[in-house]
Amino acid sequence: MAVDLDVEELLIMGDSDLIIRQAQGEWETRDINLIPYRQHVKDLSKWFKSVEFRYIPQFHNELADALATLAAILPYPGNVHIDPLEIQIQERHGYCNAVEIEPDVQPWYNDIKRYTVT
């Protein structure tokens, strides 16, 4: 997809130190089943001005997990242009940014009870 979009600089992040180091060429790929994949990565890398592989420890990988989930949910539209995805990383968790409201004197099920009682 990056080749089709004429991307020039590519940053690839992964949570497997072994795979990242093999893709960078720092470590040898010995598994006979993985050697064709390593060669394919080398061939694809030639399409880009620069390719960087970066190891991200799993506990720092929330963004990748969220993007993978998003990619699994959304269908790839084929030849349709995809606008860049802008991501803002907040300093605090979303629940910390919630607006505080005055506690309601009614119990939490009050509204439900109003609609279910006949």
mmCIF file of all heavy atoms in Angstrom, residues 1 46 51 56 61 64 68-70 72 77 105 114 117-118:
data_model
loop_
_atom_site.group_PDB
_atom_site.id
_atom_site.type_symbol
_atom_site.label_atom_id
_atom_site.label_comp_id
_atom_site.label_asym_id
_atom_site.label_seq_id
_atom_site.Cartn_x
_atom_site.Cartn_y
_atom_site.Cartn_z
ATOM 1 N N MET A 1 0.828 -1.185 0.000
ATOM 2 C CA MET A 1 0.000 0.000 0.000
ATOM 3 C C MET A 1 0.875 1.253 0.000
ATOM 4 O O MET A 1 0.581 2.222 -0.692
ATOM 5 C CB MET A 1 -0.919 -0.017 1.218
ATOM 6 C CG MET A 1 -1.955 1.054 1.217
ATOM 7 S SD MET A 1 -3.134 0.714 2.532
ATOM 8 C CE MET A 1 -3.485 2.334 3.077
ATOM 9 N N LYS A 46 13.705 -1.196 -1.419
ATOM 10 C CA LYS A 46 14.323 -0.471 -2.538
ATOM 11 C C LYS A 46 13.381 0.551 -3.165
ATOM 12 O O LYS A 46 13.828 1.449 -3.870
ATOM 13 C CB LYS A 46 14.798 -1.466 -3.600
ATOM 14 C CG LYS A 46 15.907 -2.371 -3.114
ATOM 15 C CD LYS A 46 16.250 -3.431 -4.136
ATOM 16 C CE LYS A 46 17.273 -4.406 -3.562
ATOM 17 N NZ LYS A 46 17.502 -5.532 -4.461
ATOM 18 N N VAL A 51 13.910 3.796 4.703
ATOM 19 C CA VAL A 51 13.067 2.893 5.499
ATOM 20 C C VAL A 51 13.744 2.731 6.845
ATOM 21 O O VAL A 51 14.933 2.426 6.915
ATOM 22 C CB VAL A 51 12.901 1.517 4.827
ATOM 23 C CG1 VAL A 51 12.094 0.582 5.707
ATOM 24 C CG2 VAL A 51 12.258 1.639 3.463
ATOM 25 N N ILE A 56 9.553 -1.202 19.326
ATOM 26 C CA ILE A 56 8.736 -0.578 20.369
ATOM 27 C C ILE A 56 8.343 -1.674 21.352
ATOM 28 O O ILE A 56 7.666 -2.626 20.963
ATOM 29 C CB ILE A 56 7.440 0.053 19.777
ATOM 30 C CG1 ILE A 56 7.746 1.036 18.667
ATOM 31 C CG2 ILE A 56 6.602 0.681 20.870
ATOM 32 C CD1 ILE A 56 8.462 2.279 19.100
ATOM 33 N N ASN A 61 3.089 -0.050 23.302
ATOM 34 C CA ASN A 61 2.552 -0.326 21.982
ATOM 35 C C ASN A 61 1.049 -0.064 21.868
ATOM 36 O O ASN A 61 0.401 -0.603 20.985
ATOM 37 C CB ASN A 61 2.857 -1.786 21.628
ATOM 38 C CG ASN A 61 3.049 -1.992 20.162
ATOM 39 O OD1 ASN A 61 3.192 -1.044 19.411
ATOM 40 N ND2 ASN A 61 3.043 -3.236 19.748
ATOM 41 N N ALA A 64 -0.007 1.240 18.372
ATOM 42 C CA ALA A 64 -0.008 0.216 17.326
ATOM 43 C C ALA A 64 -1.212 -0.705 17.474
ATOM 44 O O ALA A 64 -1.835 -1.080 16.480
ATOM 45 C CB ALA A 64 1.279 -0.596 17.375
ATOM 46 N N ALA A 68 -4.014 -1.165 14.653
ATOM 47 C CA ALA A 68 -4.304 -2.492 14.122
ATOM 48 C C ALA A 68 -5.787 -2.810 14.244
ATOM 49 O O ALA A 68 -6.395 -3.365 13.329
ATOM 50 C CB ALA A 68 -3.466 -3.540 14.842
ATOM 51 N N THR A 69 -6.378 -2.433 15.365
ATOM 52 C CA THR A 69 -7.814 -2.637 15.552
ATOM 53 C C THR A 69 -8.601 -1.822 14.531
ATOM 54 O O THR A 69 -9.536 -2.322 13.902
ATOM 55 C CB THR A 69 -8.234 -2.240 16.980
ATOM 56 O OG1 THR A 69 -7.500 -3.040 17.903
ATOM 57 C CG2 THR A 69 -9.720 -2.432 17.197
ATOM 58 N N LEU A 70 -8.208 -0.575 14.335
ATOM 59 C CA LEU A 70 -8.867 0.286 13.359
ATOM 60 C C LEU A 70 -8.738 -0.287 11.946
ATOM 61 O O LEU A 70 -9.705 -0.321 11.187
ATOM 62 C CB LEU A 70 -8.267 1.692 13.422
ATOM 63 C CG LEU A 70 -8.916 2.767 12.577
ATOM 64 C CD1 LEU A 70 -10.376 2.966 12.973
ATOM 65 C CD2 LEU A 70 -8.151 4.073 12.721
ATOM 66 N N ALA A 72 -8.376 -3.378 11.121
ATOM 67 C CA ALA A 72 -9.169 -4.593 10.999
ATOM 68 C C ALA A 72 -10.654 -4.281 10.833
ATOM 69 O O ALA A 72 -11.389 -5.038 10.197
ATOM 70 C CB ALA A 72 -8.957 -5.472 12.230
ATOM 71 N N PRO A 77 -10.452 0.662 0.794
ATOM 72 C CA PRO A 77 -11.324 1.101 -0.306
ATOM 73 C C PRO A 77 -10.742 0.918 -1.709
ATOM 74 O O PRO A 77 -11.280 1.425 -2.671
ATOM 75 C CB PRO A 77 -11.527 2.593 -0.001
ATOM 76 C CG PRO A 77 -10.311 2.988 0.744
ATOM 77 C CD PRO A 77 -9.887 1.789 1.523
ATOM 78 N N VAL A 105 -29.437 13.170 42.600
ATOM 79 C CA VAL A 105 -30.045 12.591 43.794
ATOM 80 C C VAL A 105 -30.796 11.304 43.472
ATOM 81 O O VAL A 105 -31.101 10.533 44.368
ATOM 82 C CB VAL A 105 -31.000 13.609 44.479
ATOM 83 C CG1 VAL A 105 -30.210 14.768 45.044
ATOM 84 C CG2 VAL A 105 -32.077 14.064 43.538
ATOM 85 N N ARG A 114 -38.128 4.534 34.715
ATOM 86 C CA ARG A 114 -39.210 5.373 34.198
ATOM 87 C C ARG A 114 -39.756 4.811 32.894
ATOM 88 O O ARG A 114 -40.968 4.867 32.648
ATOM 89 C CB ARG A 114 -38.662 6.778 33.947
ATOM 90 C CG ARG A 114 -39.567 7.838 34.460
ATOM 91 C CD ARG A 114 -39.018 9.233 34.324
ATOM 92 N NE ARG A 114 -38.610 9.534 32.961
ATOM 93 C CZ ARG A 114 -37.655 10.387 32.630
ATOM 94 N NH1 ARG A 114 -36.990 11.011 33.552
ATOM 95 N NH2 ARG A 114 -37.335 10.620 31.392
ATOM 96 N N VAL A 117 -41.513 0.871 33.574
ATOM 97 C CA VAL A 117 -42.719 0.732 34.399
ATOM 98 C C VAL A 117 -43.928 1.103 33.557
ATOM 99 O O VAL A 117 -43.953 2.130 32.901
ATOM 100 C CB VAL A 117 -42.612 1.628 35.664
ATOM 101 C CG1 VAL A 117 -43.896 1.575 36.462
ATOM 102 C CG2 VAL A 117 -41.438 1.202 36.503
ATOM 103 N N THR A 118 -44.917 0.231 33.557
ATOM 104 C CA THR A 118 -46.124 0.506 32.752
ATOM 105 C C THR A 118 -47.260 1.013 33.582
ATOM 106 O O THR A 118 -47.336 0.899 34.740
ATOM 107 C CB THR A 118 -46.585 -0.773 32.028
ATOM 108 O OG1 THR A 118 -46.788 -1.796 32.987
ATOM 109 C CG2 THR A 118 -45.581 -1.151 30.991
#
